[in-house]
Amino acid sequence: MPRAVRERQMMDAAVQTFGQRGYRAASMDEIADLAGVSKPLVYLYLSSKEELFTACIRRESEALIAAVQAGVEPGLPADRQLWAGLGAFFTHTAENPDGWAVLHRQARTHGEPFAAEVSVLREEIVAFVTGLIGAAAREAHQGSELADRDMAGLAQALVGAAESLAGWANETGGVSAKEAAGTLMNFAWMGLGDLMNGERWNPR
Amino acid sequence: MPRAVRERQMMDAAVQTFGQRGYRAASMDEIADLAGVSKPLVYLYLSSKEELFTACIRRESEALIAAVQAGVEPGLPADRQLWAGLGAFFTHTAENPDGWAVLHRQARTHGEPFAAEVSVLREEIVAFVTGLIGAAAREAHQGSELADRDMAGLAQALVGAAESLAGWANETGGVSAKEAAGTLMNFAWMGLGDLMNGERWNPR
Amino acid sequence: MPRAVRERQMMDAAVQTFGQRGYRAASMDEIADLAGVSKPLVYLYLSSKEELFTACIRRESEALIAAVQAGVEPGLPADRQLWAGLGAFFTHTAENPDGWAVLHRQARTHGEPFAAEVSVLREEIVAFVTGLIGAAAREAHQGSELADRDMAGLAQALVGAAESLAGWANETGGVSAKEAAGTLMNFAWMGLGDLMNGERWNPR
Amino acid sequence: MPRAVRERQMMDAAVQTFGQRGYRAASMDEIADLAGVSKPLVYLYLSSKEELFTACIRRESEALIAAVQAGVEPGLPADRQLWAGLGAFFTHTAENPDGWAVLHRQARTHGEPFAAEVSVLREEIVAFVTGLIGAAAREAHQGSELADRDMAGLAQALVGAAESLAGWANETGGVSAKEAAGTLMNFAWMGLGDLMNGERWNPR
DNA sequence: TATGAATGAGGATTCATTCAT
DNA sequence: AATGAATGAATCCTCATTCAT
């Protein structure tokens, strides 16, 4: 069987195992078994547990970024872009729960080398969201009132809210990606104050 | 030395070690060393690694809940209560980074028994926030429009945002608990839409 | 059983195993078995295979140096001292073949850290022999004719001859330490030329 | 590429690797890499690690023997032959440090099959030297006084001294083969006693 | 109340070796 | 003549846990 195919099998098995068990608790034996190969082959192709985990983080990062970017149409107004991005995000994480677990939970929990690896992803996403917020502010002709640091904080909060909702939606099966995106979009765009007063955000 | 004191030393050491290394990477040796006792004593008092970790989760949960509850004055309007609760939350997590790491990162990452333990906490907090949102809705005389499930989703998002900001505030040293609470309160209460238009939420 | 005793049992087993199998081929399992303990205890007391091997080298070095020094009486003329030292050397190596194998064969064959460790021993012995040669030269009132580098070379050759003979004597069981010392002393002191002519060196 | 050439490339790589790393620490992977071929080819041509090592020992033995024999002119007096042989020996070992390491250090350190292989070489050399000593004794008309076993012991000592000096000369770069041969010849032929008295052996 | 001594079980990693092509 | 793909079997090392005192 050609190397590329085997390698993908192994990475799939690794993402699943790391996502469910965690970095330390996952054993190379289990990963090899799940991939249907012997342990030495895993080492031959992927060098070490650490590199394997790093490779998983990278692959899942790129997949997530790609999914979000594919979901966004650059020409639209900022709120529409945000809405589309959130939808793509929730869809992708719902479809790849183990990959999402690797990124969101495991990678950040097991020491610097890995945390650094996901930080890149997170910063990329936060930067994307920060950009959207800036664009929205400019569209509203009030941009000057939002300092950069405020926007970064808002982006952090928004991304955190999305991450948390993604986990919640995954665990309590009943919530679809679209519902999650709707809830969050309302919350983020209108705020609790407006929601209390019956106002809603709608995709035009 | 009396048992209660010894036990607290051990739990302190355990929280620190678990918080920094993670459940699997933390070794009973290191915990015993850090506590200044021999390993058999740790086992005598706390039975097993699993029980020790569970005990840590419980203790830190209770401490966090207590801190948040102590920060809230029940008589105030819902937004003021939320504001006070957020402030207490950010203050406590900033002062107990290891405990917060145990709850937020480690406990949810290392398998069912622990995740279940910390879910109790999260649900308690979510319920508290859900209650506040409900109260705010009633104050606005518009409660009927928000279904229970929506409120739960909103609470999830808000708590997630808070957790994310807590991590951010802890890592980028420059943000104080009060600032974090202000950013989040604005975001959550006013929404991005209003913020773009220059509106702000203020503690009256 | 007290730690010191166990530690010596382990070192004994290690010297025997390393001496017979070599550093790489010796397994910690075999050493632990031979010592009658479990592997973890070996690691608890002696840290790692590398440190264990180093400890063996050091212990056997010190034992050999001590044996040679104990065999020499400082007041005697140089040839008598040499004779006594050689006798002690051959006796000790014959009685501790595994220790001698560790020093002479294994340590020098398995990489820098260990080779450096035995070099210390060898240099100490070579220095001792060089000193004796120097003393003999002074006794003969001709010292000025032997450059330091020549003496070092002679000492190297002498020590090498002794080492070689020690191995030979160990392998072909029939040669006693005293015989080996006699053969070497004759060879070294009289030279082949004189031996051919029937002259012999005798301990007076 | 013809088999004979490939085979030599592999043996060269093997000698270098075995000489530097030792039998156990050398990996077939490294040898194959260094030879610029794939591992299965090594196995096809040389069967197994053990046989490869044995082949190395044999090849280097024969090369050393050949070099020494080529350096000696049979018609000369014994001391001149010895001198020439020592010179050839030191020259060859200096030019083939890895081969010499295989013979002198590695082969004797890694268990019976290999030690036996190199013993053949050593015995051949010892026999050669023993023969020279016997010849010298006959030339001096005093042969009857040296028993066979004494001569064997002397030869052992002489060969050991040569081996030791060869190592020393290789490590401390400053000593040439000729110097080493001179030092040893003086030591062996004249003895320390005569050297102390200012007498020297000279190639006439 | 407290510990020095000890281990069973498991995990990461490497290596000599083979097969199908 | 030559190799990409693959593995069984060790080997070093760590860790949670217990026992006798």
Side-chain angles (χ1 to χ4, degrees):
Chain A
M1 192 167 302
R3 174 166 181 153
V5 175
R6 275 275 193 252
E7 231 174 84
R8 217 178 35 141
Q9 291 174 342
M10 292 176 196
M11 298 266 305
D12 289 344
V15 166
Q16 182 176 336
T17 311
F18 284 136
Q20 283 167 14
R21 296 249 190 288
Y23 177 64
R24 295 288 296 229
S27 89
M28 294 299 269
D29 263 299
E30 192 180 353
I31 293 172
D33 274 12
L34 191 58
V37 296
S38 71
K39 239 187 319 174
L41 200 60
V42 180
Y43 278 90
L44 190 60
Y45 285 178
L46 292 150
S47 305
S48 73
K49 196 182 186 184
E50 201 168 325
E51 287 200 23
L52 174 54
F53 192 44
T54 305
C56 289
I57 295 174
R58 265 188 209 144
R59 191 182 84 170
E60 297 304 314
S61 282
E62 282 161 16
L64 176 55
I65 289 274
V68 171
Q69 281 179 343
V72 169
E73 284 176 62
L76 300 180
D79 61 337
R80 298 296 304 272
Q81 283 193 47
L82 198 52
W83 159 252
L86 289 174
F89 174 80
F90 286 119
T91 303
H92 183 84
T93 55
E95 282 169 357
N96 300 280
D98 291 327
W100 173 240
V102 165
L103 292 177
H104 176 50
R105 273 223 268 289
Q106 307 305 342
R108 311 172 76 186
T109 313
H110 295 286
E112 254 321 291
F114 310 132
E117 205 67 41
V118 257
S119 281
V120 174
L121 164 70
R122 195 166 219 269
E123 270 153 34
E124 209 164 327
I125 291 195
V126 167
F128 174 68
V129 173
T130 305
L132 287 185
I133 295 177
R138 276 193 301 284
E139 287 168 14
H141 302 291
Q142 302 276 0
S144 57
E145 299 216 15
L146 275 181
D148 278 1
R149 201 172 77 162
D150 285 338
M151 294 199 302
L154 291 173
Q156 282 288 343
L158 177 54
V159 171
E163 288 172 348
S164 171
L165 266 186
W168 185 63
N170 274 352
E171 280 152 28
T172 56
V175 181
S176 74
K178 205 156 205 174
E179 281 176 300
T183 297
L184 182 51
M185 196 61 204
N186 263 298
F187 172 65
W189 205 259
M190 304 304 292
L192 292 174
D194 284 353
L195 291 180
M196 297 305 113
N197 292 315
E199 299 181 35
R200 294 287 180 281
W201 176 88
N202 284 308
R204 278 151 281 172
Chain B
M1 192 169 301
R3 173 164 183 154
V5 176
R6 274 277 192 250
E7 233 177 81
R8 216 180 37 145
Q9 289 175 341
M10 293 176 194
M11 299 262 308
D12 288 346
V15 166
Q16 181 177 337
T17 310
F18 285 135
Q20 285 168 13
R21 297 245 189 289
Y23 177 64
R24 292 290 297 226
S27 85
M28 295 298 272
D29 263 296
E30 191 179 356
I31 293 171
D33 272 14
L34 190 59
V37 296
S38 71
K39 244 187 314 177
L41 200 59
V42 179
Y43 279 88
L44 188 61
Y45 283 0
L46 291 148
S47 308
S48 74
K49 196 185 189 184
E50 203 168 322
E51 288 200 22
L52 173 55
F53 191 45
T54 306
C56 291
I57 296 174
R58 265 188 210 141
R59 191 182 83 171
E60 295 304 315
S61 283
E62 283 161 16
L64 176 55
I65 289 275
V68 171
Q69 281 178 345
V72 171
E73 283 176 62
L76 299 180
D79 62 338
R80 300 294 306 274
Q81 282 194 47
L82 196 51
W83 158 253
L86 289 174
F89 173 81
F90 286 119
T91 303
H92 182 83
T93 55
E95 281 169 358
N96 299 280
D98 290 329
W100 174 239
V102 165
L103 293 177
H104 177 51
R105 274 226 267 287
Q106 307 303 343
R108 311 172 74 187
T109 316
H110 295 288
E112 256 322 290
F114 311 132
E117 202 66 40
V118 80
S119 281
V120 173
L121 163 70
R122 197 164 216 268
E123 271 153 32
E124 209 163 330
I125 291 195
V126 167
F128 175 69
V129 173
T130 305
L132 287 184
I133 295 176
R138 274 191 304 282
E139 286 168 13
H141 303 292
Q142 301 276 0
S144 57
E145 299 215 15
L146 276 180
D148 279 2
R149 205 174 71 164
D150 286 336
M151 294 200 302
L154 292 173
Q156 282 290 342
L158 178 54
V159 171
E163 288 171 348
S164 172
L165 267 186
W168 187 62
N170 274 353
E171 281 153 28
T172 56
V175 181
S176 73
K178 204 157 204 175
E179 281 177 299
T183 296
L184 183 51
M185 194 64 203
N186 261 299
F187 172 65
W189 203 259
M190 305 302 293
L192 291 172
D194 284 352
L195 291 179
M196 297 305 115
N197 290 316
E199 299 183 34
R200 294 286 181 279
W201 176 88
N202 284 307
R204 277 149 283 172
Chain C
M1 194 168 303
R3 174 168 182 153
V5 176
R6 275 278 192 250
E7 231 174 85
R8 218 179 35 144
Q9 290 175 342
M10 292 176 195
M11 299 265 306
D12 289 345
V15 166
Q16 181 177 335
T17 310
F18 284 136
Q20 283 167 15
R21 296 249 190 287
Y23 177 64
R24 294 288 296 230
S27 89
M28 294 299 268
D29 263 299
E30 192 180 354
I31 293 173
D33 274 12
L34 192 58
V37 297
S38 69
K39 238 188 319 177
L41 201 59
V42 180
Y43 279 91
L44 189 61
Y45 285 178
L46 290 150
S47 306
S48 73
K49 197 183 186 184
E50 202 168 324
E51 286 200 25
L52 173 54
F53 193 43
T54 306
C56 290
I57 295 173
R58 264 187 211 146
R59 190 182 83 168
E60 296 305 314
S61 281
E62 282 161 18
L64 176 55
I65 289 274
V68 170
Q69 282 179 341
V72 170
E73 284 175 61
L76 299 179
D79 61 337
R80 297 294 307 273
Q81 283 194 46
L82 198 52
W83 158 254
L86 289 174
F89 173 81
F90 286 119
T91 303
H92 183 84
T93 55
E95 281 169 357
N96 300 279
D98 291 327
W100 174 239
V102 165
L103 292 177
H104 176 50
R105 273 223 269 288
Q106 307 304 344
R108 311 172 75 185
T109 314
H110 295 286
E112 255 320 292
F114 310 132
E117 204 68 40
V118 254
S119 281
V120 174
L121 164 69
R122 194 163 218 270
E123 271 153 35
E124 207 163 331
I125 291 195
V126 168
F128 175 68
V129 173
T130 305
L132 287 185
I133 295 176
R138 276 190 302 282
E139 285 167 15
H141 302 292
Q142 301 276 1
S144 56
E145 300 215 14
L146 274 181
D148 278 1
R149 201 171 77 162
D150 287 336
M151 293 200 303
L154 291 173
Q156 282 289 343
L158 177 54
V159 171
E163 287 172 348
S164 171
L165 266 186
W168 185 63
N170 274 354
E171 281 152 28
T172 56
V175 181
S176 74
K178 206 155 204 175
E179 280 177 300
T183 297
L184 182 51
M185 195 63 204
N186 262 298
F187 171 66
W189 204 259
M190 304 304 293
L192 292 172
D194 283 354
L195 291 180
M196 297 305 113
N197 293 314
E199 298 182 35
R200 293 288 179 280
W201 177 88
N202 284 306
R204 277 150 282 172
Chain D
M1 193 169 301
R3 172 162 185 157
V5 176
R6 275 273 192 253
E7 231 176 83
R8 216 180 37 145
Q9 290 174 341
M10 293 177 194
M11 300 263 308
D12 289 345
V15 167
Q16 181 177 336
T17 310
F18 285 135
Q20 283 168 14
R21 297 245 190 291
Y23 177 64
R24 292 290 297 226
S27 86
M28 295 298 271
D29 264 295
E30 191 179 356
I31 292 171
D33 272 15
L34 191 60
V37 296
S38 70
K39 243 185 317 176
L41 200 60
V42 179
Y43 278 89
L44 189 62
Y45 284 0
L46 290 148
S47 308
S48 75
K49 194 184 189 185
E50 203 167 324
E51 288 199 23
L52 173 54
F53 191 45
T54 306
C56 290
I57 296 173
R58 266 190 209 139
R59 190 181 84 169
E60 296 304 314
S61 282
E62 283 162 15
L64 176 55
I65 289 275
V68 170
Q69 281 178 343
V72 171
E73 285 176 60
L76 300 179
D79 61 338
R80 298 296 305 274
Q81 283 195 45
L82 197 51
W83 159 252
L86 288 175
F89 173 81
F90 286 120
T91 303
H92 182 84
T93 54
E95 282 170 356
N96 300 280
D98 291 329
W100 175 239
V102 165
L103 294 177
H104 177 50
R105 273 225 267 287
Q106 306 304 342
R108 312 172 73 189
T109 315
H110 295 287
E112 256 321 290
F114 311 131
E117 203 67 39
V118 82
S119 280
V120 174
L121 162 71
R122 196 164 218 270
E123 270 153 33
E124 211 164 327
I125 291 195
V126 167
F128 175 69
V129 174
T130 306
L132 288 184
I133 296 177
R138 274 190 303 282
E139 287 168 14
H141 304 291
Q142 301 276 359
S144 56
E145 298 215 15
L146 276 180
D148 280 1
R149 204 174 72 165
D150 285 338
M151 294 199 304
L154 291 174
Q156 281 290 342
L158 177 54
V159 171
E163 288 171 348
S164 171
L165 265 185
W168 186 63
N170 275 353
E171 281 152 29
T172 57
V175 181
S176 73
K178 205 157 204 174
E179 279 177 300
T183 297
L184 183 51
M185 195 63 203
N186 261 299
F187 172 64
W189 205 258
M190 304 303 292
L192 292 173
D194 283 352
L195 292 179
M196 297 305 115
N197 291 313
E199 299 181 35
R200 294 287 180 279
W201 176 88
N202 284 306
R204 278 151 283 172

